[in-house]
Every structure is written in C-alpha cells, then in structure tokens.
Amino acid sequence: MTLETSEEAPQRPFRLNYGFGSHRGLRRQLNEDSLVVTGNLFAVADGMGGHEAGEVASRICVETLAAGVKEVRNDLAADELQQLMVTADDAIRRVGGSRAGTTLAGVAIVRELQGLYWMVFNVGDSRTYRLSEGEFAQISVDHSEVQEMVDEGYLTAEEARHHPRRHVITRALGTGEASEADFWMLSVHDGDRLMICSDGLTSEVSDEDIRQQLADRNSPQDAVDALIRLALEGGGRDNITVIVVDVEDTDAEGERITTSPRAEDRDEHQTTQPRFDGGGRMINGGRVFGMENGEDDGR
C-alpha cells in the first residue's frame, strides 16, 4: 500500500455537489462498469472477465463499499475504507472463482488527524483527477503494463494512450495475485473539482481535453455529460463512466459575488460534515449504488 498525505485539512463548513453518468459505449454489448455515489464516497469500478462476469465483479465491489459506508455514515475512517476493499476483494473471489475482477478508483471524505481529508484510492487503471486552485493533475497512478513502461522512460504518456497493451493491468480486485490499493490523503479546499472515471474515458479523451471540460463547465453534471460525449465522439470503444464532485465552502458563499450559473442548493443548512447535495443521472446503462440511502437504483 502507498499512502501519501498532504497538509492539514481546513475545518470550514463545506458542501459537496456532484454529477455522474455511465454509457456502454458504441462497441460493447454490455456495460460492465458500476459506480457508487454517497454523501462521502464516490467510486467507479470497471469489471473484467468476459460477458456478465465483469458486471458481477464491479457490482459486488460497489455494493460492498456502499453497504459499509452506510453503516458508518459520516464517520468514515481511512482504515475502515481499506478494510471494505479487502472485503470486496474476498467476496468477488468467492463468487467468481478468481475468474472475474474489477478495477476501482475513487475518493472518500475521511476523518483523520483531527480533520477531514480526501482519501483517493485506486486498484487498476480507472483514474481520479483533481482541478484545484488552478492546478490540474491526475492523482491516482495506473497499475498497468504501459504505466510501468512510462515510469521506466520507454513510453510517453501520449504513446501509452494508444499502445496495444494499454488495457493490460497489473492489479485488480477479485483476480490475480496483486489486489492491494494505493492511497493518497489530500486536504479539502473550497473550489476543488474531482473527477473519477473508467478507462473508457481516458482511452478516448486526452488529459488536456479533460482539463478543459472540467474548467469550462459550471455544473458537475454538465461536465460529466460533455466528457461522455467526447469519449463517444472519439470512438466509444469501451464502457464509459464518469463522476464529478465539487467542494463548495458554505462560509465563503456570502463573501463572494458570483456571476456564473450555480447548481441549485437543496439544503441551506451549513455543516462541517459531508452530505448529499447534488444529483445526476445514468446514461444508457451501468449500475449505480449508494445514493443518499445506500441502495441500488435498480438500473
């Protein structure tokens, strides 16, 4: 496990606003992606293992996370999240006989060091990006053969996007020998915009185009919809799933003048605890778990 920690998190009240979507793409018959969205956990699982097996693996993964987070509500700790991922790995192996697996990437608001932090995690090549204070970066690091070649200087990041072995991953939940996640702890800032996605997006859309859409779109759902459209226009060769989460400092709202459109506030109560305060929709397939009540939406 890799764990990196940033500076101390602020204690100002904040609200989370988010959007999400999933599309089976233009060439796949089945959407094997699943996602979980709750008040303090956002994650994408990209299933592998052939027809239906991958769908089962990703579904078990996000069901396990959603159920575990529902039990602890707003008091999720980093070690509890790590244990949920171990539980998901075990459950997928029991059901799939180590023939089905899934990648997983996401973020959670966790209470650590007497503060609230983003805990970014990933296994495989689904990704998490952050646009914060004008800086855009991929936070997660792919567990894949081409990423190893990039790290060793044999490929550039752009060459890796088109390499014939770009889909060969070196870690996954539910299958293979390596299933350990990497973790990063980041302080929460007003104006943070985080994006979690399956590789169906990043295989078709460059990092620069992702940055542009995240910077240009005012609402999280508009950003999600625009990114999925770009991936489809780029070929849509795989399932595409995207979550975008915004942090809004509720204390600062009264201090600044905003001329651009803002997402509608559904609850004016100020709190230092993360809570549901957004929306979104599924687009042409996929399964979403969690929501505000921790249940499957039935899609």
Side-chain angles (χ1 to χ4, degrees), residues 1-4 119-120 143 171 180-185:
M1 178 186 73
T2 299
L3 177 61
E4 298 182 9
M119 185 174 186
V120 180
H143 301 132
R171 295 192 207 176
E180 192 173 31
D182 289 339
F183 299 89
W184 296 261
M185 298 287 277

Side-chain angles (χ1 to χ4, degrees), residues 61-76:
C61 179
V62 297
E63 280 181 333
T64 302
L65 294 178
V69 169
K70 184 179 179 182
E71 288 185 7
V72 300
R73 303 299 295 176
N74 288 329
D75 294 321
L76 182 65

Side-chain angles (χ1 to χ4, degrees), residues 216-269:
D216 288 351
R217 304 290 172 170
N218 289 315
S219 81
Q221 192 60 50
D222 285 347
V224 167
D225 295 345
L227 288 166
I228 290 176
R229 283 195 300 270
L230 278 181
L232 293 172
E233 292 169 1
R237 285 162 283 196
D238 200 353
N239 308 148
I240 308 153
T241 300
V242 183
I243 303 171
V244 173
V245 186
D246 286 354
V247 176
E248 299 172 356
D249 185 333
T250 55
D251 274 355
E253 285 180 355
E255 302 169 4
R256 58 181 177 237
I257 299 175
T258 304
T259 57
S260 59
R262 297 176 57 240
E264 179 183 0
D265 288 340
R266 302 183 182 183
D267 184 348
E268 294 298 326
H269 178 63

Side-chain angles (χ1 to χ4, degrees), residues 118-294:
W118 290 116
M119 185 174 186
V120 180
F121 53 91
N122 85 294
V123 181
D125 60 356
S126 293
R127 292 181 179 177
T128 297
Y129 292 80
R130 182 173 68 159
L131 180 64
S132 180
E133 300 180 332
E135 298 294 327
F136 175 72
Q138 178 183 335
I139 304 302
S140 61
V141 178
D142 294 353
H143 301 132
S144 67
E145 285 193 0
V146 294
Q147 183 61 50
E148 291 177 355
M149 287 188 275
V150 170
D151 292 343
E152 293 170 2
Y154 296 119
L155 293 176
T156 67
E158 183 60 26
E159 289 171 339
R161 285 186 59 228
H162 306 287
H163 195 277
R165 294 185 65 80
R166 63 187 179 278
H167 297 301
V168 180
I169 65 172
T170 55
R171 295 192 207 176
L173 295 179
T175 188
E177 296 181 359
S179 59
E180 192 173 31
D182 289 339
F183 299 89
W184 296 261
M185 298 287 277
L186 307 174
S187 60
V188 178
H189 296 285
D190 175 33
D192 279 355
R193 170 164 281 188
L194 283 85
M195 186 202 72
I196 308 107
C197 66
S198 61
D199 69 333
L201 177 70
T202 52
S203 293
E204 307 290 3
V205 183
S206 70
D207 280 9
E208 175 54 30
D209 286 337
I210 291 173
R211 185 203 65 77
Q212 191 68 50
Q213 293 300 324
L214 293 178
D216 288 351
R217 304 290 172 170
N218 289 315
S219 81
Q221 192 60 50
D222 285 347
V224 167
D225 295 345
L227 288 166
I228 290 176
R229 283 195 300 270
L230 278 181
L232 293 172
E233 292 169 1
R237 285 162 283 196
D238 200 353
N239 308 148
I240 308 153
T241 300
V242 183
I243 303 171
V244 173
V245 186
D246 286 354
V247 176
E248 299 172 356
D249 185 333
T250 55
D251 274 355
E253 285 180 355
E255 302 169 4
R256 58 181 177 237
I257 299 175
T258 304
T259 57
S260 59
R262 297 176 57 240
E264 179 183 0
D265 288 340
R266 302 183 182 183
D267 184 348
E268 294 298 326
H269 178 63
Q270 295 185 2
T271 176
T272 57
Q273 296 293 321
R275 69 177 186 275
F276 179 87
D277 190 69
R281 58 187 180 275
M282 297 301 295
I283 306 173
N284 188 23
R287 297 180 67 83
V288 56
F289 296 80
M291 305 302 293
E292 189 174 14
N293 59 7

